[in-house]
Amino acid sequence: MNKVTVAEDIFWVGVVDWNIRDFHGYITSRGTTYNAYLILDQKTALVDTVKHNFAKELLRNVEDLADLDKIDYIIVNHVEMDHSSGLPRVMEKAKNATIIASEKGKEAIICHYGNNFNIQTVKTGDTLKLGDRTLTFVEAPMLHWPDSMMTYVTPEKILMPNDAFGQHLASSQRFDDEVDEHVLMEEAKKYYANILTPLGPLITRKIQEVVAMGVAPTIIAPSHGIVWRSNPSRIVNAYLQWSEGKSRRKVVIVYDTMWGSTDKMAHAIAEGATSQGAEVKILKLRATDLTEIVTQIHDSKAVIVGSPTLNNQMFPTLGSFLTYIAGLRPKGKVWSFFGSYGWGGGAVRGMTEMARKAGFEIHQPGIEVKYIPSSDDLQKCFELGKQIASEI
Ligand code: FEO
């Protein structure tokens, strides 16, 4: 492969997964990468590995730069299998390597791959001298697994934070100044919204802690996507803003429909919200994936959710959506519910109950109409959209 130099004697040796479209449910419409970095000094360190089916490619990339049995350390910042499932294969070849991981990382490596490796544990502030370079480790428990940690390389000031600041973006380019910045930020936001939303307060505290330690990266090299080298503070500031839950005057309408009644209601609500000058997104489940829906909700102030009643329940796609969004716990939004039914009803009641259990702020009452919405019903929908938009 062509050498990808991050800094002198520090190389990207990861792989590009162009074809993945479903990453454990996260829809990766632009593919992804699994980034690993090789540091050549008096001691040689490989930071992170890759998904198992790409291990051979990683080994080839490393071999172009160093003998595999000359690797002294393999830093495992995070044990989720997109980064670690190539580790056993790498350890077969890197026979002299010691694995460096957090205490929880060691536990997770043993749970996943058995107690077969020489593992040295580190905690926040511990350092490892490679020669001219020193690695400093920062534990980041629950960002986003208990084992997660970051590696800071000095004197180059390169932060390798694993998942944090990543994006699911396959590209032949490796650096932020080489790619379309709108696509880059869109994918970074999508990644934050779908993975890190519940962790906002932890993120703010961790960034403050890292800054207080004197970590001031000139390059941020995450484990997915593009490396931030032109202006790394841009993504740090974006994370700080996102973690505060900053939102726009935007209403997202998420719904599904069987014979078109809930669809008509959704559009009437949208007209009402639009009449107040709010930005509106209408997103039909089964036409839009949950990953995109969550990204749209991320910076909205109101979410209005509609479902027909099927067998006295909400339509199944709504169950899936509400389960996903309840787990992500987005803050600072108003929620409202609407839908149609033929005889017994139940969808609006069921959705409202789920939202209540999730701790969402609910705008009452929702609207439920029988069979086909009349012009009066559609006027009520319009008024609901108008009222919510005027309140946000
Ligand atoms: Fe990219 Fe949490 O793994």
Side-chain angles (χ1 to χ4, degrees):
M1 84 161 183
N2 295 322
K3 266 201 286 192
V4 182
T5 304
V6 178
E8 192 181 346
D9 289 335
I10 301 176
F11 302 95
W12 178 89
V13 288
V15 299
V16 182
D17 189 348
W18 291 97
N19 297 320
I20 189 167
R21 290 293 176 271
D22 184 334
F23 185 104
H24 64 39
Y26 183 128
I27 301 305
T28 45
S29 49
R30 292 187 171 108
T32 194
T33 73
Y34 312 107
N35 296 342
Y37 302 94
L38 188 72
I39 305 170
L40 304 179
D41 206 320
Q42 289 166 30
K43 300 282 186 185
T44 298
L46 174 65
V47 181
D48 288 315
T49 62
V50 299
K51 201 173 169 184
H52 61 95
N53 46 326
F54 294 95
K56 217 168 153 181
E57 194 175 331
L58 166 70
L59 288 169
R60 269 203 310 269
N61 294 345
V62 174
E63 264 182 317
D64 285 348
L65 297 157
D67 292 338
L68 296 170
D69 57 7
K70 295 270 165 54
I71 297 174
D72 297 288
Y73 301 107
I74 297 178
I75 318 299
V76 177
N77 279 321
H78 176 36
V79 184
E80 192 164 7
M81 284 183 280
D82 50 326
H83 307 292
S84 76
S85 57
L87 182 65
R89 188 84 184 265
V90 173
M91 288 302 283
E92 281 171 18
K93 304 284 183 189
K95 294 188 186 306
N96 300 311
T98 298
I99 293 172
I100 307 288
S102 64
E103 190 60 51
K104 290 285 182 191
K106 177 178 178 178
E107 186 186 314
I109 290 167
I110 293 170
C111 286
H112 280 76
Y113 309 113
N115 197 356
N116 303 313
F117 311 126
N118 180 24
I119 306 174
Q120 181 184 328
T121 60
V122 289
K123 45 190 194 320
T124 294
D126 285 354
T127 57
L128 181 66
K129 197 147 177 59
L130 300 178
D132 292 339
R133 289 171 192 83
T134 300
L135 307 184
T136 303
F137 303 102
V138 183
E139 293 168 280
M142 297 320 297
L143 285 173
H144 68 127
W145 274 24
D147 62 293
S148 298
M149 70 171 194
M150 309 182 190
T151 298
Y152 187 51
V153 187
T154 49
E156 286 83 357
K157 298 187 177 178
I158 303 172
L159 182 66
M160 298 177 178
N162 197 266
D163 278 336
F165 309 121
Q167 338 86 43
H168 286 308
L169 177 56
S171 172
S172 58
Q173 311 299 94
R174 299 273 66 83
F175 297 99
D176 55 349
D177 47 285
E178 299 173 332
V179 297
D180 183 314
E181 66 173 311
H182 298 293
V183 170
L184 176 60
M185 291 311 290
E186 186 183 309
E187 290 300 333
K189 184 163 92 171
K190 188 188 288 182
Y191 188 92
Y192 182 96
N194 281 276
I195 297 174
L196 299 168
T197 292
L199 310 172
L202 280 179
I203 289 167
T204 309
R205 283 203 295 276
K206 184 54 64 179
I207 290 175
Q208 287 163 350
E209 178 194 324
V210 167
V211 169
M213 285 174 71
V215 173
T218 53
I219 296 175
I220 295 178
S223 60
H224 294 293
I226 300 302
V227 173
W228 306 89
R229 72 175 175 190
S230 71
N231 180 12
S233 59
R234 182 177 184 192
I235 187 64
V236 175
N237 290 336
Y239 264 51
L240 286 170
Q241 202 175 53
W242 294 334
S243 65
E244 282 169 22
K246 281 204 173 145
S247 53
R248 306 211 303 265
R249 194 158 174 261
K250 173 178 168 186
V251 176
V252 176
I253 300 169
V254 181
Y255 76 103
D256 215 328
T257 194
M258 291 171 71
W259 293 104
S261 292
T262 312
D263 180 81
K264 285 192 181 84
M265 296 173 78
H267 283 82
I269 292 167
E271 278 184 39
T274 308
S275 75
Q276 295 304 295
E279 178 187 346
V280 176
K281 291 277 180 201
I282 304 180
L283 304 171
K284 184 186 162 192
L285 289 158
R286 289 186 293 158
T288 316
D289 63 68
L290 292 182
T291 308
E292 174 59 22
I293 290 173
V294 164
T295 309
Q296 290 295 339
I297 288 174
H298 172 72
D299 59 359
S300 70
K301 282 199 191 312
V303 189
I304 310 180
V305 185
S307 173
T309 291
L310 176 67
N311 301 325
N312 304 113
Q313 307 285 337
M314 69 188 83
F315 198 66
T317 51
L318 271 301
S320 174
F321 162 65
L322 288 171
T323 302
Y324 187 41
I325 201 76
L328 289 169
R329 305 191 301 279
K331 299 265 183 296
K333 300 175 197 314
V334 176
W335 293 75
S336 185
F337 298 92
F338 67 98
S340 59
Y341 67 99
W343 42 101
V348 169
R349 190 174 58 243
M351 293 190 295
T352 307
E353 194 48 37
M354 275 184 87
R356 198 186 316 282
K357 279 187 186 156
F360 293 166
E361 183 190 335
I362 300 169
H363 181 283
Q364 292 276 32
I367 301 179
E368 208 165 14
V369 306
K370 189 164 184 173
Y371 286 122
I372 309 289
S374 64
S375 52
D376 278 357
D377 292 328
L378 291 175
Q379 185 60 36
K380 281 182 196 156
C381 291
F382 181 91
E383 294 300 332
L384 176 70
K386 185 175 165 183
Q387 190 186 352
I388 288 176
S390 66
E391 287 172 6
I392 59 173

